[in-house]
Amino acid sequence: MSKNSSRSQQLEAFDRLLTIMDELREKCPWDRKQTIESLRHLTIEETFELSDAILDEDLEEVKKELGDILLHIVFYAKIGAEKEAFDIATVIDGLCDKLIRRHPHIYGDTEANDDEAVKQNWEKIKLKEKGNKSVLGGVPRSLPALIKAMRIQEKARGVGFDWEEKTQVWEKVEEEMQEFKEEFDAAAPGQIDKEKATGEFGDLLFSLINYARFVDINPEEALEKTNRKFIHRFQYLENAAKEAGKSLGDMTLNEMDVYWNEAKEQ
């Protein structure tokens, strides 16, 4: 049985949310106190909670987290209206106008026969709209470094600055690996130049992210899956050791490896 609502039900639900937001802003001491600045860190937290739900493939939780984020959007718009800067209608209308402008293959006479052409058109239009002096000007400075690297590479590709074949990208990975190894050879005696080694390691990571993009792997998702896999196995190790009456601090690495290998079979 479908859980989808009719358009009239959707509009009624949104109207109900706006009414509740008005009431909370007027009557609730906590909601009255909030500012755009005070909500910021809460919005970031809610976004990560949505990300967790998506990775867990928990659609019920995704629904709840989307509700929390929608509340924040409505909250920001309410504060904007109080400042006479914007309201939820101007936010939505602005978004609709932008979507129409950036999809000329739907609402205009531009052709785009695949998703790559759509992305290239999007970046070119976005560059003209924002008036950025650089293609990379629209990448948020506060993005986590791994995600920022992905966006930088995607934006460069949007204007044609990219490798042609994945073999070329892999050759770059091998080149950066060799340069890092030469700068930071674990078998070599003496101290390393940490600043140089850090730079070469960054180059290596950037090239690996680039290769992942070429073979349609999201490196952020890949790393997070590995993080979760490690957490699962390590917690198995902790629990197994506890059930055996042992403390991890008192166990040898070989003893821990026994439980670790068991965890890999779970």
Side-chain angles (χ1 to χ4, degrees):
M1 179 179 176
S2 174
K3 294 184 179 181
N4 293 336
S5 307
S6 66
R7 179 58 61 90
S8 62
Q9 288 173 314
Q10 293 168 358
L11 293 173
E12 183 180 345
F14 192 62
D15 180 67
R16 182 185 177 206
L17 172 60
L18 295 177
T19 300
I20 292 172
M21 184 73 254
D22 288 344
E23 293 172 346
L24 293 179
R25 188 66 173 168
E26 178 184 352
K27 299 176 183 178
C28 174
W30 186 89
D31 288 283
R32 243 189 348 252
K33 185 179 178 181
Q34 299 314 305
T35 65
I36 285 179
E37 292 76 16
S38 71
L39 289 173
R40 174 181 170 275
H41 74 281
L42 298 175
T43 306
I44 294 171
E45 182 179 336
E46 294 295 354
T47 303
F48 279 111
E49 289 180 1
L50 172 62
S51 176
D52 283 347
I54 292 171
L55 288 172
D56 290 339
E57 298 182 354
D58 187 339
L59 291 181
E60 183 63 26
E61 199 63 25
V62 167
K63 180 186 75 173
K64 294 177 183 177
E65 298 302 339
L66 285 173
D68 290 340
I69 290 177
L70 179 57
L71 169 61
H72 281 237
I73 293 170
V74 169
F75 210 149
Y76 286 121
K78 177 65 178 176
I79 297 173
E82 292 168 358
K83 294 179 178 293
E84 298 184 352
F86 56 85
D87 65 10
I88 193 64
T90 55
V91 169
I92 295 173
D93 283 337
L95 172 60
C96 291
D97 291 342
K98 181 171 68 175
L99 289 174
I100 291 171
R101 285 195 311 271
R102 295 190 185 177
H103 290 79
H105 54 291
I106 303 297
Y107 301 103
D109 54 8
T110 301
E111 288 191 11
N113 297 320
D114 55 38
D115 65 320
E116 188 59 38
V118 172
K119 286 192 290 186
Q120 289 185 7
N121 284 337
W122 180 283
E123 292 297 342
K124 290 175 183 176
I125 296 168
K126 188 175 180 180
L127 189 62
K128 289 180 181 178
E129 286 178 354
K130 293 200 169 187
N132 292 330
K133 294 180 179 178
S134 169
V135 172
L136 306 181
V139 179
R141 296 188 305 276
S142 58
L143 271 181
L146 194 153
I147 298 175
K148 185 187 288 186
M150 293 166 54
R151 293 297 293 132
I152 288 171
Q153 293 167 4
E154 288 169 353
K155 284 183 173 294
R157 180 178 179 81
V159 293
F161 185 77
D162 203 3
W163 301 94
E164 295 179 353
E165 302 291 340
K166 66 181 180 181
T167 53
Q168 297 172 306
V169 189
W170 185 249
E171 287 172 3
K172 186 63 176 175
V173 172
E174 292 180 323
E175 176 188 325
E176 297 295 353
M177 176 69 81
Q178 183 59 36
E179 290 180 6
F180 174 63
K181 184 177 184 299
E182 290 171 358
E183 202 60 54
F184 184 22
D185 189 342
Q191 295 292 322
I192 67 164
D193 186 325
K194 189 172 181 180
E195 185 174 348
K196 286 185 179 180
T198 299
E200 295 297 347
F201 186 66
D203 291 344
L204 174 58
L205 283 178
F206 193 85
S207 65
L208 280 169
I209 291 167
N210 208 12
Y211 185 75
R213 179 175 59 85
F214 249 78
V215 295
D216 200 26
I217 292 174
N218 185 310
E220 169 71 18
E221 292 179 5
L223 182 58
E224 179 56 20
K225 286 182 179 179
T226 296
N227 288 339
R228 290 177 172 232
K229 182 168 59 178
F230 183 91
I231 290 170
H232 169 75
R233 292 175 181 175
F234 191 82
Q235 289 177 341
Y236 178 92
L237 164 63
E238 288 178 313
N239 293 331
K242 185 176 180 180
E243 290 175 2
K246 299 177 181 179
S247 169
L248 291 184
D250 298 328
M251 295 171 63
T252 67
L253 186 57
N254 287 336
E255 288 174 320
M256 286 190 280
D257 274 344
V258 173
Y259 295 124
W260 183 265
N261 289 328
E262 288 180 4
K264 289 166 68 174
E265 297 175 359
Q266 298 301 309

